[in-house]
Amino acid sequence: MNIRRKLNSWTINVLLIVLVISLPIFIIYTGLIGNSSPTWDHITTNLLPQYIANTTLLVLGTVVLTLIFGISTAWLVAAYEFPLRKQLSWLLVLPLTIPTYIAAYAYSGLFEYTGPIFSFLRNSLHIDAGEINVRNISGAILVISSVLYPYVYLAARASFLVDSGRLFEAARTLGSTPFSNFWRIVLPVSRPAIIAGVSLVIMEVLNEYGAVKYYGVTTFTTGIFRAWFSLEDIQAAIYLSALLMTFVFALIIAERLQRGKKQFKTTSTDSPLGRYRLNGNLKIAATMMCLLPLLVGFILPVSQMIYWATFTFGKVINDDFGRLIVNSFSLSFGAAVICIIVSVLLVYSVRLSLSKRSELFSKLASLGYSIPGAALAVGIMMTALFMDQVILRSLNLTTGLVLTGSLGALLYAYVVRYLAVGYNPIDSGFKKITFTLTEVSRTLGISPLRSLFSINLPLLKPALWSALLLVFVDVMKELPLTLILRPFNYETLATRAFRYANDEMVPESAPVSLIIIATAFIPIILLNRKINQTP
Amino acid sequence: MANVNIQGIYHCYNSNSFELVIEHLEVKDGQTVALVGESGCGKTTLLRAIAGLECPSKGVIKIGETEVYSPSTFLPPEKRNVGLVFQDYALFPHLTVRKNIEFGIRQLTSEEKKKRFQSILELTNMREFIDRYPHELSGGQQQRVAIARALVCQPKVLLLDEPFSNMDEPLKIKLRSEIKELIDRTNTTTVLVSHDIRDAFAIADSIVILKEGKIEQIGSKDELKSKPVNDYVNGLVNQQ
């Protein structure tokens, strides 16, 4: 029997899932067909150049800083032995627990006239140094870089440890010094991994809303919000979203192309990098260099939040606070469960379809993660409005909204955006389960669906848990999608923190922010376990 | 080219689970010595100690007149002038064959570099793929590049770590004779590590049989075959 039929039910499954997930993207592009409004002319003339300039500067600045922070620390912990190296190797990941908007609030407070730094200088050292205004684009670059550098750090460190060891040794036997080896061998070989890390940073910067809004930096994302909420022109919001998405897709294509021929497929086996023991001042300098990003990206903002929380805790803890926690946790859990179910169905269908095309299509489903939240929100809103019209027409009603402004639309948005986060660990998990197990069970008369429940899912448990956790935490931290799509008066921890900050009640946002940070700790502990398993 | 002298080397891994003890071992100028034994007997550790990639607990290693390792000395690998060919070749994946070969001779004048490069190309016969990347080469071609990269530096000693593992038998036979010819033509002092006694018989002048970190016997192919010191050596050399 030819089981490689071109279109079997599993392939149709894959196509259906991909269609539902990518619908908002298509709908944004179909929205381009409409006529432009006078508002759009105003945007293109007066605002768009600034959006482009600021977004470009923000991306470039963040990329440079995250590269410096990420690569230098990754190289130190991978190649040298110095005090606290082992602890720092995972502590350096901690800034990832802090959403950028929370770091932005903390830094603004740290450096204001009445903040702890300048208060200490005035009161204890009698130095009136004024204040540093971080609420500008330079401040935004520094703050965003300080919490996003772990993306580069993790990618570079893994590559330094796994891919470079044997090549590094070979270069040394050929007379090349360790410093020269870093530039000539390690960095070029690790380039694809580092670029992958930088790509994640760029996606996060393009998705950024809370921090840039608070710091008064107008970017594409703030532009979308402005077009929609202030200028009340959805068509302009669609144009901006389409522009931003096109830029992201161009970036993805460029990233794929640069891999090209120079894929750097190493012919050598993995070999851990041997570490040099640093002595004297060098070892202290290495420890300090690694402590600096940790201090800037984690210790300082969290300390500021804890300081604020000590005197605002009583004020914000009330019945409403409990509701916020329930809202955030239930929404995150719901989105995570749906992402897991869709991911399992998608990966399993791809496996059973035995088709390369299905595999290719399934990759489309993970595109949502690269689309900035504000742009995606526009797409989801358009999709919801379109579906509502279909429902109304089929029920012969004239008014009413079913999906628009509902929790269902918000959950749909989360699934589109975070499916990739759940998909990747599940896909890796499935790859570890040999397909012959499913084939054997089928020869024993068990249907593929039963085989999924009785064979694959029990073996997939660790991957399912980690996928669930990763999506859960990402949804907890999410801001732009939730701000745009939440039902009227519905608040989560993230939107409440944002509201406090925008009402100039930043200290009140601290307890809420600390809960978000504490939740994000769980996957970091899991990540630490994984890091410890590597040499 | 130089001799290698190893005295009283002791190396211990993972809290006494493995010990390498070499009282004395000498590889003479231009000689090819094979270290043979089962997996985990310490042959690769010894090779890496000669290269400077492993630091023994005690003992002395001399390459030529230079003491590269002793309790008070440790010459880093980049200063030992040894050519190490790894089991997996460790070719730099982002560099072409030409750049891989030139990697270790960049400090030479361009004229000298060109001369060395041309002579190694002739010797290894790989003119047709010098502009390819390592992943575009076959296993045998990759091995030739790895050897050329080591030999172009005119190392005092060439170290070969399991160069024929993961190869099928016909290719092994072909490459054994190719390597033997290269070593003979360049007259390079060579230390070869292998778990397969046939590699040693095909290439080495002298064979060192190692078992659990200790030398069982040293001798030529004929000596080992005719006068094995114990059943282990007898079993190993007469296995074919």
Side-chain angles (χ1 to χ4, degrees), chain A residues 23 42 117 149 190 207 321 337 378 394-395 430 466:
Chain A
L23 194 60
H42 161 70
I117 293 174
Y149 80 84
S190 304
N207 180 49
F321 193 76
V337 169
V378 173
S394 60
L395 295 176
F430 260 116
S466 69

Side-chain angles (χ1 to χ4, degrees), chain A residues 413-492:
Chain A
Y414 288 149
V415 175
V416 174
R417 173 130 174 88
Y418 296 113
L419 186 66
V421 179
Y423 179 88
N424 289 335
I426 288 172
D427 188 37
S428 316
F430 260 116
K431 279 184 178 140
K432 285 181 196 152
I433 305 169
T434 166
F435 190 58
T436 48
L437 290 184
T438 308
E439 289 177 331
V440 164
S441 70
R442 290 180 80 175
T443 60
L444 294 170
I446 294 168
S447 72
L449 204 60
R450 243 188 87 195
S451 166
L452 171 68
F453 285 99
S454 57
I455 310 285
N456 291 281
L457 287 186
L459 291 168
L460 206 61
K461 252 186 205 161
L464 292 176
W465 278 114
S466 69
L468 189 88
L469 215 65
L470 288 171
V471 179
F472 181 84
V473 171
D474 266 345
V475 177
M476 279 283 281
K477 289 158 68 180
E478 209 288 325
L479 186 63
L481 275 178
T482 321
L483 275 177
I484 296 182
L485 296 170
R486 67 193 161 137
F488 185 67
N489 265 349
Y490 189 89
E491 284 222 74
T492 64

Side-chain angles (χ1 to χ4, degrees), chain B residues 26-187:
Chain B
E26 187 173 10
V27 185
K28 294 195 175 78
D29 260 4
Q31 193 187 24
T32 299
V33 166
L35 306 176
V36 182
E38 292 162 353
S39 295
C41 72
K43 51 193 191 298
T44 296
T45 304
L46 184 56
L47 197 82
R48 289 170 63 83
I50 298 170
L53 295 170
E54 208 74 61
C55 195
S57 313
K58 40 183 169 167
V60 176
I61 301 175
K62 282 170 82 176
I63 298 178
E65 291 309 306
T66 315
E67 199 171 80
V68 294
Y69 173 74
S70 75
S72 59
T73 325
F74 177 77
L75 201 64
E78 53 271 25
K79 296 197 173 141
R80 292 194 182 191
N81 193 15
V82 293
L84 175 54
V85 177
F86 289 86
Q87 187 173 351
D88 53 28
Y89 317 131
L91 298 179
F92 305 129
H94 61 302
L95 302 180
T96 59
V97 169
R98 179 193 292 278
K99 296 273 180 203
N100 259 282
I101 294 171
E102 286 176 348
F103 187 90
I105 53 169
R106 70 199 176 284
Q107 74 286 2
L108 301 180
T109 61
S110 55
E111 202 177 318
E112 178 67 8
K113 220 163 32 181
K114 201 173 165 190
K115 214 170 101 185
R116 289 247 198 124
F117 186 72
Q118 289 305 329
S119 89
I120 204 72
L121 275 193
E122 266 170 40
L123 206 64
T124 49
N125 191 26
M126 50 185 186
R127 205 171 287 277
E128 76 270 27
F129 51 82
I130 51 166
D131 290 320
R132 287 197 210 157
Y133 284 91
H135 68 269
E136 296 170 324
L137 305 178
S138 69
Q141 288 169 331
Q142 284 179 11
Q143 191 189 54
R144 265 195 272 167
V145 178
I147 293 171
R149 186 178 67 177
L151 284 178
V152 80
C153 300
Q154 296 182 345
K156 288 180 184 166
V157 53
L158 179 67
L159 307 171
L160 304 170
D161 187 9
E162 297 275 9
F164 310 111
S165 61
N166 310 321
M167 282 182 187
D168 56 37
E169 205 52 38
L171 185 62
K172 257 187 195 185
I173 293 166
K174 183 173 171 270
L175 289 177
R176 276 182 199 139
S177 65
E178 271 187 31
I179 288 186
K180 170 82 176 146
E181 198 192 328
L182 267 176
I183 294 169
D184 289 346
R185 280 172 68 182
T186 51
N187 198 24

Side-chain angles (χ1 to χ4, degrees), chain A residues 9 94 112 233 245 464 498:
Chain A
S9 58
L94 287 185
E112 66 187 8
D233 186 345
M245 272 174 20
L464 292 176
F498 177 79

Side-chain angles (χ1 to χ4, degrees), chain A residues 294-313:
Chain A
L294 181 67
L295 184 80
V296 178
F298 186 76
I299 298 170
L300 281 178
V302 169
S303 305
Q304 176 67 60
M305 284 292 160
I306 292 172
Y307 168 70
W308 276 334
T310 51
F311 59 85
T312 57
F313 193 70

Side-chain angles (χ1 to χ4, degrees), chain A residues 75-88:
Chain A
W75 178 240
L76 283 171
V77 298
Y80 297 95
E81 202 60 71
F82 53 87
L84 298 177
R85 186 199 66 80
K86 221 171 179 180
Q87 292 77 4
L88 281 165

Side-chain angles (χ1 to χ4, degrees), chain A residues 288-366:
Chain A
M288 299 306 271
M289 268 187 78
C290 289
L291 274 173
L292 181 70
L294 181 67
L295 184 80
V296 178
F298 186 76
I299 298 170
L300 281 178
V302 169
S303 305
Q304 176 67 60
M305 284 292 160
I306 292 172
Y307 168 70
W308 276 334
T310 51
F311 59 85
T312 57
F313 193 70
K315 212 156 81 178
V316 296
I317 300 297
N318 47 33
D319 290 349
D320 191 37
F321 193 76
R323 193 170 52 82
L324 285 183
I325 294 180
V326 171
N327 281 358
S328 275
F329 275 70
S330 53
L331 207 53
S332 306
F333 185 72
V337 169
I338 300 171
C339 274
I340 303 309
I341 293 170
V342 176
S343 299
V344 167
L345 270 176
L346 192 59
V347 180
Y348 194 60
S349 300
V350 168
R351 269 165 88 94
L352 287 169
S353 74
L354 294 165
S355 143
K356 281 273 165 212
R357 266 186 216 152
S358 294
E359 208 176 332
L360 207 69
F361 274 126
S362 74
K363 303 283 177 216
L364 280 177
S366 58

